[in-house]
Amino acid sequence: MKINSPLEAYKYLPQTNCTECGEPTCMAFASKLIDRSAKPSDCPPLIKEKKYTKKLAELERLLAPEIREVVLGVGEKAAKIGGDDVLYRHKLTFFNKTKMFFDVADTMGEADLIERVKKIADFKKFYVGRNLLVDGVAIRAASNDPTKFAAAVKKVAEVGLPMIFCSFNPAVLKAGLEAAKDKNPLLYAANKDNWKEVGELALKYKVPVVVSAFNDLDALKTLAKTFAEAGIKDIVLDPGTYPSGKGLKDSFTNFLKIRRAGIMGDTDIAYPIMALPLTAWMAGVADPVSTSYWETVLASIFTIRYADIMILHSMEAYAVLPEVHLAETIYTDPRSPVSVEGGMYKVGEPDKDSPVFFTTNFALTYYTVESDIAANGIVCWLLAVDTDGIGVEAAAAGGQLTAAKVKDAFDKAGFDLKKDVNHNTVIIPGLAARIQGDLEDALDAKVKVGPMDSGRIPGWMEKNWPPK
Amino acid sequence: MAKKVKLSEVTDMFKGMEILSLEGVKIEGDIEIDLSGLLGGGGFDPMLAAILGQESAMLAQHFGRIASMFGVPVGMGAPAAVGGVAPGVSPALAAPKLKDLIPAKFDVSKIAEWTTQIQEVPLGNTSADGGTRGKQVIVGGEKALPFYFDAPMPHRNQVTIDVFDMRIGLAKAVKENYDEVMDSPGEWAKKNVDKFNADMITIHLISTDPLVKDTSAKDAAKTVEEVLQAVDVPIAIGGSGNPQKDPEVLSKAAEVSEGERCLLASASLNLDYAKIAEAALKYDHDVLSWTQLDMNAQKELNRKLMKQCNVPRDRIIMDPTTAALGYGLDYAYTNMERIRLAALMGDDELTFPMSSGTTNAWGARESWMVGSPLGQDSDWGPREYRGPIWEIVTGLSLAIAGNDLFMMMHPTAVAVLKQITQTLFGTLEAEPVNIASWIEAEV
């Protein structure tokens, strides 16, 4: 973005406070533009009224992210990459989580191919109220045969995930494009030898394209600039991902340099970057588990330092689980605390004798408490009190965690301490000890102060449970 | 690819990585990469294609057509010119698309705001400094984010492997490495160094917790002596986490290890940090300054250690708290990255090396549970492979954020973390790989 204060954005708005966008004032809308939770086209007058056409265009230019956004695939599962404005997530947030594409080869047997694509499409991991998924399929033209490649593309396309067509042979890429019209695949890749033909395909079929130059940023920038001048807007950069040794260090450095230059205003290279952790499988590591580990290590490095899309091989759970979790970690918006839904949760299968704990709905707190309890085989009721996603200590100090709030949470969950358990007792976090008296009055129940750290619940339980 | 190997074999594979340099060592692989054919050597070779018959005939035809395909509608031309057009390239010249490369030079500047060096902190005294350690370890000294090209990193990351002063519950994948030494802290420490290449040892005196065994500070101190005699690497001494008892336990431990320059873990705002700082100064140790995911609290504690307790700058290491992947690593990561960036830009209350309790990764259920407790998840696969990679990814993320010293547990995690951090540090060489052939490689 070229501007960073709501005042600067406000200049380009109608300034009528019409509220059509849902905000009370144009200034409030301007703030949302700056934190990127709204876009100029969300202002109905700007879109509808002709007199604002110029302002709209100018505003869109000013607010465009430094790193170009590129979309692959079509429909609901389309993958959007790039779009970042900062080098560190705490400066704003990173946008468009790193997309994970897994490879298939056009030399695979049909049954194997279908099984693998299905596995990619079906992967999911529940996390904080949603599913973490992987994003698409990279089809390697291992045969280098246009007919074989087209056949593989047809099969993969049926699943509807975004695709990357991988070949340096323009004839192969063309066959793939013909086989999957309007699927908007990403072409991998144009390099110093084939750039004219591949660039021409990107223009003709209107698809995004990777420019590739290994460990040569001048060449990479040259290709990107040449393509941009030719009218190709959706460019992705492949500076090469060397899997080990000095080559890997160079690759890491290249990613840093490209993104720094892009964020600092070098528009010729301000495009999404592709990493290929899959090259771990070429590094000569002796066994598949170690190789898979190494691939995950490469994926981790480049998830953190600026890859927007990557091609991976291992579909083992011990590879994919940490990979999708790390992408979620790095791309979670640091401006809003992550929270779980308030309510009563069961740890194990609790009954009337089981203890009742509560904690806050700050996801980190909640999951820490839950795993501390579960890991020690303690079966219990665990109430998550809605504290606006703030942790126990801060919420108790800041008034988001009071006796009234806790009572309210029990009521909302429909949990009656006198009926649902036979001990009429609540165990409260040690860090919220100050509300003990108030809570006893509010709930008409026994309130015991638990440990300051949920890691100490097991020891505490031995001494204090069941209540005498 | 589905071949199963024992994790101990994986560990062996990565073993020996504590050596500063592996120059000249070639990793022998059993993955054959087909380098022949059209695409070898980085790109399409038209000469080669010409000899290859039918397929190349098609390509040749394609080449022949290229000239006629240059014409691209002007409307699709250059994107909104935001300063991107090179001087001297007139619109007229740029019009025939994709005719000639438009040469461009890449250049990016170093970060001018990174003006301040992180403090170097030595751990462990050799006989030269009045101790008995076989080597000294130094952490810190960076002038840029880790592994960045702006300035070389002076010291590599260090790994200290945990030892507990009593048998405790551990994830199965961790425990099987330590089961036979868990009743002897000395043997445990020895195994960490001899078998698992620990740079340092952390002895956790958890039995001193009144809720655990309430071992006396004096007895705990004996354990510290035992570990110091068993190994000659620098050691960190951890309490039980009980804020009432830790100052007494750590002071006594500091006394019996006088002159060894151990790391006392930890001083925090919710205990008598002054007593720990005093022991560090009196008996020649370093202090771990521990806060919980709060940069301002970290500044406050560091300030108190320096100003109130007179701890010299070269005796402070920070532990800003490590949360596991999936359980708050986003906070831990960003907290460390912000601390390091603030330090590089001159905040002298934060210019200290950092330490991570990477072992916390084992608190994540993904690292130890047999399978997902949730039916709708895809299969979690074998847990013995999940745990170590969870520890690796947690640690590696923080290494990139700026962490220097890692407190870890699983030998494979230690080996892989060393391998990757030393690769990025620049001391590990490897056989060059022709990545251009990845498309047709057998994987």
Side-chain angles (χ1 to χ4, degrees):
Chain A
M1 287 194 290
K2 307 289 176 228
I3 53 176
N4 52 27
S5 101
L7 264 176
E8 290 172 278
Y10 181 74
K11 284 193 270 181
Y12 297 90
L13 296 176
Q15 307 180 6
T16 55
N17 299 336
C18 72
T19 73
E20 276 186 62
C21 63
E23 294 301 316
T25 62
C26 288
M27 188 56 88
F29 182 72
S31 302
K32 294 191 85 174
L33 290 176
I34 294 300
D35 73 16
R36 287 183 59 179
S37 57
K39 47 190 193 302
S41 58
D42 294 334
C43 169
L46 274 189
I47 297 292
K48 281 188 290 194
E49 292 177 42
K50 249 205 159 124
K51 61 178 174 184
Y52 294 129
T53 309
K54 256 183 114 171
K55 284 193 163 175
L56 174 64
E58 180 63 2
L59 193 56
E60 283 184 329
R61 188 186 73 76
L62 291 171
L63 291 170
E66 295 296 337
I67 306 301
R68 190 176 171 79
E69 266 184 351
V70 173
V71 177
L72 300 64
V74 289
E76 251 178 40
K77 292 186 170 166
K80 197 191 272 182
I81 59 174
D84 280 318
D85 265 318
V86 293
L87 288 170
Y88 311 106
R89 59 189 291 275
H90 66 270
K91 295 278 191 187
L92 180 66
T93 183
F94 288 154
F95 293 91
N96 303 325
K97 189 159 71 170
T98 306
K99 298 296 180 292
M100 312 271 173
F101 282 64
F102 288 81
D103 79 310
V104 298
D106 66 355
T107 46
M108 289 169 82
E110 184 169 339
D112 288 350
L113 179 79
I114 288 168
E115 192 194 329
R116 184 162 165 88
V117 173
K118 197 168 151 21
K119 198 171 179 189
I120 297 166
D122 290 347
F123 176 87
K124 64 179 173 185
K125 166 67 166 53
F126 187 79
Y127 176 66
V128 198
R130 59 192 175 280
N131 280 315
L132 305 179
L133 308 170
V134 298
D135 303 285
V137 183
I139 311 169
R140 294 188 289 120
S143 70
N144 198 29
D145 175 339
T147 316
K148 279 194 182 137
F149 186 70
V153 165
K154 275 204 170 123
K155 273 176 231 132
V156 175
E158 284 167 21
V159 185
L161 287 176
M163 295 178 284
I164 306 174
F165 291 174
C166 307
S167 176
F168 291 112
N169 181 344
V172 167
L173 293 175
K174 185 166 196 283
L177 286 164
E178 284 294 329
K181 285 212 161 138
D182 306 318
K183 299 287 186 206
N184 195 31
L186 173 64
L187 297 185
Y188 181 101
N191 64 15
K192 65 176 171 31
D193 302 306
N194 69 9
W195 61 274
K196 282 185 185 173
E197 301 93 301
V198 174
E200 174 204 322
L201 289 173
L203 280 169
K204 184 176 170 201
Y205 291 89
K206 299 187 177 63
V207 292
V209 60
V210 179
V211 293
S212 175
F214 298 141
N215 206 12
D216 184 345
L217 297 184
D218 288 341
L220 192 68
K221 185 171 170 177
T222 295
L223 284 170
K225 190 177 168 70
T226 303
F227 273 24
E229 294 283 330
I232 300 171
K233 292 179 176 173
D234 293 334
I235 297 169
V236 177
L237 308 169
D238 170 29
T241 303
Y242 285 89
S244 52
K246 177 84 168 33
L248 174 54
K249 187 169 172 61
D250 287 343
S251 298
F252 179 73
T253 299
N254 288 335
F255 276 65
L256 298 178
K257 285 184 169 174
I258 292 170
R259 186 49 46 92
R260 185 184 292 177
I263 295 290
M264 291 186 165
D266 182 349
T267 51
D268 289 338
I269 201 142
Y271 297 102
I273 315 177
M274 171 182 278
L276 285 140
L278 174 142
T279 58
W281 295 88
M282 305 169 76
V285 182
D287 81 285
V289 178
S290 298
T291 310
S292 181
Y293 265 35
W294 198 248
E295 184 180 35
T296 301
V297 159
L298 298 182
S300 303
I301 291 169
F302 292 111
T303 295
I304 293 172
R305 292 295 182 224
Y306 309 136
D308 300 283
I309 182 169
M310 48 180 72
I311 299 178
L312 301 138
H313 177 69
S314 176
M315 278 296 293
E316 298 290 345
Y318 54 80
V320 187
L321 288 173
E323 285 159 3
V324 296
H325 267 290
L326 186 63
E328 184 70 17
T329 295
I330 297 302
Y331 282 80
T332 292
D333 190 337
R335 296 170 297 178
S336 54
V338 190
S339 51
V340 299
E341 208 165 316
M344 182 62 81
Y345 293 84
K346 293 178 181 179
V347 181
E349 286 299 329
D351 57 25
K352 288 197 157 200
D353 294 321
S354 306
V356 180
F357 293 89
F358 75 78
T359 184
T360 74
N361 73 328
F362 177 43
L364 172 53
T365 308
Y366 176 80
Y367 285 112
T368 305
V369 173
E370 191 209 56
S371 61
D372 283 342
I373 292 171
N376 287 285
I378 296 168
V379 172
C380 69
W381 304 93
L382 178 58
L383 181 74
V385 178
D386 185 350
T387 56
D388 306 326
I390 296 173
V392 175
E393 196 171 16
Q400 294 90 355
L401 183 60
T402 60
K405 285 256 184 161
V406 176
K407 178 172 181 352
D408 191 42
F410 273 110
D411 291 347
K412 272 195 185 145
F415 194 91
D416 188 337
L417 282 162
K418 293 180 183 62
K419 285 190 192 143
D420 293 314
V421 287
N422 56 26
H423 47 69
N424 194 27
T425 302
V426 184
I427 302 160
I428 71 172
L431 291 169
R434 66 174 80 178
I435 69 169
Q436 182 185 22
D438 286 352
L439 192 59
E440 277 179 343
D441 295 345
L443 293 176
D444 188 23
K446 279 171 274 180
V447 174
K448 292 172 86 73
V449 177
M452 306 281 262
D453 183 323
S454 61
R456 297 176 163 270
I457 287 175
W460 186 92
M461 288 284 287
E462 272 175 37
K463 292 202 167 171
N464 298 284
W465 197 265
K468 285 157 197 112
Chain B
M1 227 175 58
K3 181 191 152 204
K4 299 272 187 247
V5 294
K6 286 212 185 96
L7 208 52
S8 58
E9 295 170 36
V10 181
T11 303
D12 287 345
M13 223 82 69
F14 285 105
K15 232 163 78 179
M17 291 317 167
E18 59 89 31
I19 329 162
L20 268 174
S21 170
L22 275 192
E23 253 166 290
V25 174
K26 289 178 188 172
I27 300 171
E28 296 288 335
D30 62 8
I31 296 171
E32 287 289 330
I33 296 156
D34 183 8
L35 298 181
S36 63
L38 266 183
L39 303 181
F44 174 70
D45 180 348
M47 287 307 287
L48 191 56
I51 327 169
L52 286 177
Q54 200 224 344
E55 192 177 350
S56 59
M58 196 170 64
L59 283 166
Q61 193 186 25
H62 193 69
F63 270 89
R65 287 205 312 265
I66 290 167
S68 62
M69 289 178 171
F70 283 157
V72 174
V74 180
M76 291 182 64
V82 212
V85 181
V89 181
S90 73
L93 276 177
K97 309 303 178 190
L98 296 172
K99 190 170 180 191
D100 295 300
L101 286 171
I102 304 167
K105 279 273 173 205
F106 180 88
D107 190 33
V108 70
S109 52
K110 294 183 177 178
I111 304 291
E113 292 83 8
W114 292 350
T115 53
T116 308
Q117 184 175 12
I118 305 304
Q119 178 67 48
E120 288 184 329
V121 176
L123 292 149
N125 278 338
T126 61
S127 55
D129 305 299
T132 63
R133 304 299 87 199
K135 61 161 187 176
Q136 186 168 67
V137 157
I138 298 176
V139 289
E142 297 91 338
K143 294 175 179 169
L145 281 179
F147 321 122
Y148 271 49
F149 57 96
D150 299 79
M153 224 169 131
H155 306 289
R156 71 167 171 88
N157 302 89
Q158 303 285 333
V159 177
T160 174
I161 303 183
D162 295 329
V163 170
F164 293 86
D165 70 344
M166 60 180 277
R167 186 169 274 275
I168 56 155
L170 292 171
K172 191 171 166 239
V174 175
K175 191 175 178 180
E176 63 188 19
N177 295 287
Y178 300 108
D179 205 22
E180 81 285 5
V181 292
M182 284 179 74
D183 297 310
S184 162
E187 289 304 310
W188 191 339
K190 238 178 147 60
K191 185 168 189 187
N192 289 353
V193 175
D194 296 345
K195 288 268 190 325
F196 304 140
N197 296 313
D199 298 311
M200 287 178 57
I201 292 298
T202 305
I203 172 70
H204 296 275
L205 303 169
I206 56 163
S207 74
T208 59
D209 189 326
L211 290 175
V212 181
K213 281 188 178 171
D214 206 11
T215 310
S216 70
K218 206 174 143 199
D219 286 344
K222 281 185 196 141
T223 306
V224 173
E225 287 178 304
E226 182 188 337
V227 170
L228 281 167
Q229 274 157 23
V231 295
D232 74 346
V233 296
I235 71 166
I237 303 169
S240 66
N242 181 299
Q244 280 73 44
K245 195 159 173 192
D246 272 1
E248 178 201 347
V249 169
L250 292 176
S251 295
K252 190 71 195 165
E255 187 184 335
V256 299
S257 55
E258 179 170 9
E260 298 286 6
R261 197 152 190 167
C262 305
L263 178 63
L264 304 182
S266 330
S268 70
L269 287 166
N270 72 344
L271 52 63
D272 187 358
Y273 54 83
K275 190 174 167 86
I276 295 168
E278 189 191 322
L281 295 192
K282 189 167 173 192
Y283 302 115
D284 193 5
H285 300 298
D286 299 329
V287 178
L288 190 62
S289 168
W290 173 54
T291 56
Q292 286 178 289
L293 297 176
D294 181 342
M295 186 164 146
N296 289 317
Q298 189 70 59
K299 281 168 69 85
E300 182 188 344
L301 179 57
N302 294 350
R303 186 163 62 239
K304 285 179 165 160
L305 290 173
M306 289 187 288
K307 299 274 160 65
Q308 273 181 21
C309 312
N310 299 311
V311 179
R313 301 185 64 87
D314 69 349
R315 287 183 186 271
I316 297 175
I317 295 176
M318 304 182 282
D319 177 359
T321 292
T322 292
L325 175 63
Y327 296 81
L329 179 62
D330 46 338
Y331 297 94
Y333 171 87
T334 282
N335 189 41
M336 278 194 174
E337 190 170 69
R338 291 184 66 185
I339 286 174
R340 180 52 53 91
L341 285 168
L344 292 170
M345 291 191 284
D347 186 335
D348 64 5
E349 288 172 354
L350 293 170
T351 42
F352 302 100
M354 292 188 279
S355 172
S356 153
T358 314
T359 302
N360 287 351
W362 290 91
R365 56 166 53 163
E366 287 81 354
S367 66
W368 56 266
M369 266 194 190
V370 177
S372 174
L374 305 166
Q376 72 264 38
D377 275 1
S378 299
D379 187 2
W380 280 15
R383 65 167 164 176
E384 60 266 37
Y385 298 152
R386 249 188 281 126
I389 194 72
W390 222 261
E391 191 177 359
I392 292 163
V393 173
T394 300
L396 174 56
S397 302
L398 299 178
I400 295 172
N403 190 69
D404 301 273
L405 176 66
F406 296 84
M407 298 191 173
M408 301 183 71
M409 278 231 81
H410 197 286
T412 302
V414 171
V416 177
L417 187 95
K418 284 191 163 200
Q419 169 92 348
I420 186 57
T421 53
Q422 289 177 37
T423 299
L424 294 177
F425 182 68
T427 40
L428 288 185
E429 294 294 332
E431 195 79 343
V433 175
N434 175 24
I435 57 170
S437 63
W438 76 268
I439 290 171
E440 67 274 17
E442 290 284 332
V443 297

